[in-house]
């Protein structure tokens, strides 16, 4: 029922945004509140959702505002116009070459610029130059949008949204961004070549060039739009200071005497340019906070259950072939109602966060160019006199092809692109003999049980009694001292391991003797544990320990009789499994006394093969710090049979672990 109500709220606001009866910056926060109530989130928590969500993406807001500051500086100092005029001069009387040169400049500028203000500022310079040079207005309008989307792939403010909201790193995204840029550039070149070939002998629509007085801009100022890219991608500086450094550089090399005045004016105008975007992302932050409520997460589970999206074909079909669903503020639009879908997928850990971001970047290539509801598209259509539906029809096949190719790249090469096996969880569960060669004990270890002790006199006596009593009936025991969890089962001489420990506690009534038996498989995975104790007169002797140990053996044998299939597989194969068990990665997470989240991993199991080891310190899960998820929520993830990605520390050395297939008998 909660899931149905959530879908109803989603559909209601989708219609409102599709019909343009309500803007996204109002609809998204309203959707966060009403969806929370539909999921059963207590009314008392709504205030926290609003206030906490409003600042959830604060790093992104700051980056957007400082990016707008740089945009205003680039335009108002004449840097952007000088760069465009330089390209126009080299283009000369060749409209095709001129168009490609201007497209490269537009793409470069929009790695830093964003919003309608940037579109208008650059468009009023570039579009008249194109059209007066003989480029048909339809081609000029569409090429401008395609080059804008091309540059926006690397937009620093946009990347801050990805890293803040989805918890991915810029290093994870860079290779994929390059692949996406190559695909987008190919689409742009093919479109330009085809369009110019079809429009031979056209009569262009000219825009009257207004007389202007060109301000002289030193050549070094041309470096201004590149500076934040260098600082962000090469020197790993955060987006906001990178934009600020570039803005200061721009005003100092152009008008140093007016630097302060220009920076203040650019800051004020920049905030005006991005105010709507900031309000929208406040609403998106509210939606993110809402979906982290336990009631919301539980309600969304039925919508994303089954693992169907971990199928690479489903991924390509949904985010590639169906990418036009991003249009008209549709269900895949991440800057509208679609953010609810991506947030649900994120919180349900259906796919690694970086793979979800890759899907968003793919569909955004369609949305940025083709969506008639974009304010940028509306302005360009009005400015050039091209019907807005013509822009959509001409560009949609090319941008959809980009989205399909990009999602195909993710489906077939996610390990190379991101270092994660994004779709491995979709394959059949791992067969131990083929994919987990160290999971089962070797044939020679069949029905052999190792008995160990804790090194104390009472423990040794108890372990001797266990070894003698348990031997027989096809079971052979051996006395052995070691750690079954230290290595996989490949060379183990035993299929099962019984650790025996004895402890004493002095009480007023006497000495309490406790003897415990811990049954483990050949990889050190705990199967069961039994303890027996008795208060005896001091001093406690080995005889009492042996008696208690025999009681433990009786309890172990009773367990074996009650679990015939599981116990038979344990002693014969080295794993206490049976058909019908839920697939498992054979690892657990726990918070240790030092406050860290640590792992306990079955040697030879799927998590072990993926690279995780017992006592590894967990830093992040799926790109998010575990303490932000919460201790209980983090510990639960070990049992959801999903291919999570981990950043771990082992001996002070950082490592990455990506789970592949789980195990099932």
């Amino acid at each position: 029922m909660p899931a149905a109500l959530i879908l109803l709220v989603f559909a209601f606001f989708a219609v409102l945004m599709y019909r343009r009866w309500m803007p996204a910056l109002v609809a998204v926060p309203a959707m966060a509140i009403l969806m929370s109530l539909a999921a059963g989130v207590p009314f008392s928590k709504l205030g926290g959702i609003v206030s906490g969500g409003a600042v959830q993406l604060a790093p992104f807001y700051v980056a957007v505002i400082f990016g707008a500051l740089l945009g205003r500086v680039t335009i108002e100092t004449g840097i952007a116009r000088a760069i465009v005029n330089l390209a126009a001069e080299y283009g000369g009387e060749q409209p095709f070459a001129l168009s490609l040169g201007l497209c490269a400049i537009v793409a470069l500028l929009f790695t830093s610029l964003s919003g309608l203000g940037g579109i208008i500022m650059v468009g009023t310079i570039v579009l008249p130059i194109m059209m007066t040079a003989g480029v048909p207005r339809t081609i000029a309008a569409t090429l401008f949008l395609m080059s804008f989307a091309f540059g926006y792939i690397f937009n620093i403010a946009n990347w801050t949204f990805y890293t803040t909201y989805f918890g991915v790193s810029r290093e994870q995204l860079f290779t994929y961004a390059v692949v996406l840029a190559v695909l987008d550039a190919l689409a742009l070149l093919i479109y330009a070549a085809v369009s110019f070939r079809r429009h031979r002998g056209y009569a262009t629509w000219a825009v009257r060039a207004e007389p202007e007085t060109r301000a002289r801009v030193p050549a070094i100022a041309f470096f201004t739009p590149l500076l934040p890219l260098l600082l962000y991608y090469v020197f790993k500086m955060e987006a906001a200071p990178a934009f600020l450094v570039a803005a200061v550089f721009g005003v100092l090399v152009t008008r140093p005497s007016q630097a302060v005045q220009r920076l203040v004016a650019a800051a004020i105008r920049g905030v005006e340019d991005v105010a709507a975007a900031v309000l929208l992302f406040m609403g998106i932050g509210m939606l993110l906070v809402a979906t982290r409520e336990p009631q919301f997460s539980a309600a969304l589970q039925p919508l994303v259950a089954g693992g169907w999206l971990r199928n690479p074909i489903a991924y390509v079909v949904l985010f590639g072939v169906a990418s036009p669903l991003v249009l008209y503020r549709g269900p895949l639009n991440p800057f509208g109602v679609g953010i609810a879908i991506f947030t649900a997928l994120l919180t349900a850990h259906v796919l690694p966060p970086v793979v979800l971001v890759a899907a968003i970047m793919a569909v955004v290539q369609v949305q940025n160019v083709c969506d008639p509801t974009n304010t940028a598209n509306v302005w360009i259509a009005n400015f050039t006199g091209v019907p807005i539906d013509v822009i959509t029809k001409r560009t949609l096949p090319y941008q959809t092809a980009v989205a399909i190719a990009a999602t195909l790249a993710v489906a077939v090469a996610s390990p190379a692109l991101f270092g994660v096996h994004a779709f491995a969880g979709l394959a059949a569960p791992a067969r131990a003999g083929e994919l987990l060669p160290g999971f089962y004990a070797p044939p020679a270890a069949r029905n052999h049980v190792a008995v160990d002790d804790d090194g104390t006199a009472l423990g040794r006596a108890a372990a001797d009694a266990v070894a003698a009593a348990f031997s027989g009936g096809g079971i052979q025991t051996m006395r052995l001292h070691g750690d079954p969890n230290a290595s996989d089962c490949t060379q183990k001489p035993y299929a099962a391991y019984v650790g025996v420990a004895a402890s004493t506690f002095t009480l007023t009534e006497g000495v309490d003797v406790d003897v415990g038996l811990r049954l483990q498989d050949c990889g050190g995975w705990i199967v069961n544990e039994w303890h027996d104790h008795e208060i005896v007169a001091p001093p406690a002797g080995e005889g009492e320990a042996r008696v208690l140990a025999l009681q433990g053996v009786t309890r172990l044998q009773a367990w074996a009789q009650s679990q015939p299939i599981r116990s038979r597989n344990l002693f014969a194969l080295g794993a206490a499994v049976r058909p019908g068990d839920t697939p498992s990665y054979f690892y657990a997470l726990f918070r240790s006394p030092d406050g860290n989240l640590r792992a306990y991993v079955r040697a030879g199991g799927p998590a072990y093969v993926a690279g995780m080891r017992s006592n590894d310190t967990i830093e992040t899960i799926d790109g998010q710090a575990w303490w932000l998820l919460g201790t209980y929520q983090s510990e639960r993830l070990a049992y959801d049979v999903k291919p999570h990605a981990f950043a771990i520390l082992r001996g002070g050395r950082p490592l990455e672990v990506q789970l592949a297939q789980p195990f099932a008998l």
Side-chain angles (χ1 to χ4, degrees):
M1 184 62 178
L5 289 175
I6 289 174
L7 286 176
L8 186 61
V9 173
F10 173 86
F12 175 73
F13 283 103
V15 170
L16 291 181
M17 282 187 278
Y18 176 81
R19 300 294 298 175
R20 305 184 75 175
W21 291 337
M22 180 181 290
L25 59 87
V26 175
V28 172
M31 186 166 54
I33 298 299
L34 293 181
M35 279 184 167
S36 299
L37 293 174
V41 175
F43 187 82
S44 60
K45 290 193 174 183
L46 296 184
I49 290 174
V50 173
S51 58
V55 298
Q56 181 69 29
L57 300 179
F60 173 70
Y61 310 157
V62 173
V64 167
I65 291 171
F66 278 92
L69 163 66
L70 174 61
R72 280 291 174 179
V73 166
T74 304
I75 298 296
E76 294 177 5
T77 57
I79 294 173
R81 182 175 294 276
I83 295 174
V84 172
N85 287 336
L86 182 65
E89 290 174 11
Y90 280 100
E93 299 299 323
Q94 303 178 46
F96 182 75
L98 171 64
S99 297
L100 294 184
L102 291 175
C103 284
I105 297 302
V106 171
L108 172 64
L109 291 173
F110 279 98
T111 59
S112 301
L113 300 177
S114 60
L116 180 61
I119 291 286
I120 294 173
M121 288 185 289
V122 178
T124 52
I125 301 171
V126 171
L127 290 170
I129 292 176
M130 277 190 178
M131 292 185 289
T132 54
V135 179
R137 55 185 178 176
T138 302
I139 298 178
T142 49
L143 282 181
F144 183 88
L145 281 169
M146 293 178 80
S147 55
F148 150 70
F150 177 30
Y152 211 67
I153 293 172
F154 295 98
N155 187 274
I156 298 175
N158 216 33
W159 277 43
T160 305
F161 169 57
Y162 298 146
T163 56
T164 303
Y165 194 84
F166 292 91
V168 301
S169 66
R170 68 189 82 174
E171 291 78 13
Q172 285 180 292
L173 286 177
F174 188 78
T175 303
Y176 172 73
V178 171
V179 171
L180 183 59
V182 170
L183 295 172
D184 215 38
L186 286 174
L188 190 153
L189 288 171
I190 294 171
Y191 172 79
V194 171
S195 297
F196 274 96
R197 185 177 182 84
R198 288 178 177 174
H199 285 77
R200 290 177 177 175
Y202 54 80
T204 186
W205 178 84
V207 173
R208 181 179 303 224
E210 298 294 335
E212 60 173 323
T213 302
R214 295 186 182 179
R216 300 186 65 180
V217 174
I220 193 174
F222 290 0
F223 185 63
T224 301
L226 292 173
L227 185 55
L229 299 177
L230 180 68
L231 295 174
Y232 184 81
Y233 290 113
V234 178
F235 294 100
K236 311 303 180 185
M237 183 180 287
E238 292 299 319
F243 283 135
L244 181 59
V245 169
V248 172
F249 175 83
V251 296
L252 289 178
V253 298
T254 53
R255 299 289 181 85
S257 61
Q258 302 175 16
V260 175
Q261 298 95 312
R262 284 189 176 273
L263 282 174
V264 172
I268 295 172
R269 295 290 302 278
V271 171
E272 294 175 355
D273 291 337
V274 298
V278 170
L279 291 175
L280 172 60
F281 280 93
M282 284 184 180
I284 291 176
M286 295 175 198
L287 188 60
L288 176 61
V289 172
T291 56
R292 288 176 177 169
E293 292 293 330
Q295 298 87 350
F296 207 122
S297 300
L300 290 175
Q301 281 301 321
L303 304 180
V304 294
W308 61 273
L309 195 53
R310 293 201 297 273
N311 185 310
I313 297 175
Y315 181 85
V316 174
V317 169
L318 179 60
F319 300 118
V321 178
S323 58
L325 291 175
V326 76
L327 303 181
Y328 297 100
R329 304 294 167 183
L332 289 185
N333 193 317
F335 306 111
V337 72
I339 191 62
I341 291 178
F342 287 107
T343 304
L345 297 175
L346 174 67
T347 56
H349 306 287
V350 173
L351 288 169
V354 68
V355 177
L356 282 178
V357 172
I360 290 176
M361 293 175 72
V363 300
V364 162
Q365 290 310 106
V366 178
Q367 192 264 339
N368 276 343
V369 177
C370 311
D371 193 347
T373 66
N374 287 344
T375 53
N377 292 50
V378 173
W379 181 85
I380 289 171
N382 290 336
F383 186 80
T384 58
V386 177
I388 197 167
D389 61 317
V390 171
I391 294 175
T392 299
K393 290 176 182 178
R394 288 178 65 95
T395 58
L396 186 59
Y398 293 89
Q399 296 307 115
T400 302
V402 169
I404 293 172
T407 51
L408 275 172
V410 175
V412 301
S414 61
L417 292 173
F418 312 118
V420 300
H421 296 271
F423 305 100
L426 219 84
R431 288 170 289 196
E434 299 175 9
L435 301 180
L436 305 171
F439 188 82
Y440 289 138
R446 183 183 181 90
N447 292 331
H448 285 67
V449 178
V451 181
D452 198 359
D453 61 71
D454 61 0
T456 65
L458 294 181
R460 285 192 295 269
D464 289 339
V466 169
F470 197 53
S471 184
I475 298 294
Q476 299 181 48
T477 59
M478 65 185 74
R479 292 287 275 112
L480 190 69
H481 189 66
D483 179 8
N485 195 232
S487 62
D488 65 26
C489 299
T490 307
Q491 303 295 327
K492 297 285 178 65
Y494 54 83
Y497 176 95
V498 179
V500 182
S503 59
T504 59
F505 303 91
T506 302
L507 305 173
T508 56
E509 298 88 346
V511 177
D512 190 330
V513 182
D514 181 284
V515 174
L517 277 63
R518 174 177 290 178
L519 178 62
Q520 298 173 259
D521 66 15
C522 62
W525 192 252
I526 299 173
V527 177
N528 213 327
E529 187 168 349
W530 303 271
H531 284 264
D532 292 278
H533 71 102
E534 184 180 4
I535 298 176
V536 301
E542 295 180 358
E544 288 91 347
R546 292 191 185 94
V547 171
L548 294 172
L550 294 177
Q551 294 178 19
V553 171
T554 301
R555 286 147 65 83
L556 191 158
Q557 292 170 333
W559 169 84
Q561 292 176 359
S562 67
Q563 299 283 341
I565 299 176
R566 203 180 297 279
S567 61
R568 183 168 63 248
N569 286 338
L570 171 64
F571 299 129
L573 303 176
V577 294
R578 67 179 181 184
D581 282 352
T582 301
S584 173
Y585 284 100
F586 282 96
Y587 75 102
L589 303 176
F590 64 96
R591 187 169 182 175
S592 55
D594 60 5
N596 288 313
L597 188 71
R598 297 186 181 274
Y600 166 54
V601 184
R602 196 268 193 196
Y608 183 93
V609 170
M612 187 180 289
R613 297 293 183 268
S614 291
N615 211 40
D616 281 346
T617 300
I618 308 299
E619 293 290 293
T620 67
I621 304 174
D622 296 327
Q624 187 169 5
W626 69 266
W627 55 86
L628 296 178
L629 293 170
T631 301
Y632 174 68
Q633 289 81 0
S634 298
E635 292 173 346
R636 283 179 55 199
L637 297 181
Y639 306 101
D640 64 6
V641 202
K642 292 179 181 176
H644 298 293
F646 299 89
I648 65 174
L649 286 177
R650 184 182 303 152
R653 185 164 62 99
L655 298 168
E656 300 287 334
V657 172
Q658 171 64 53
L659 300 182
Q661 295 95 333
F663 167 84
L665 185 63

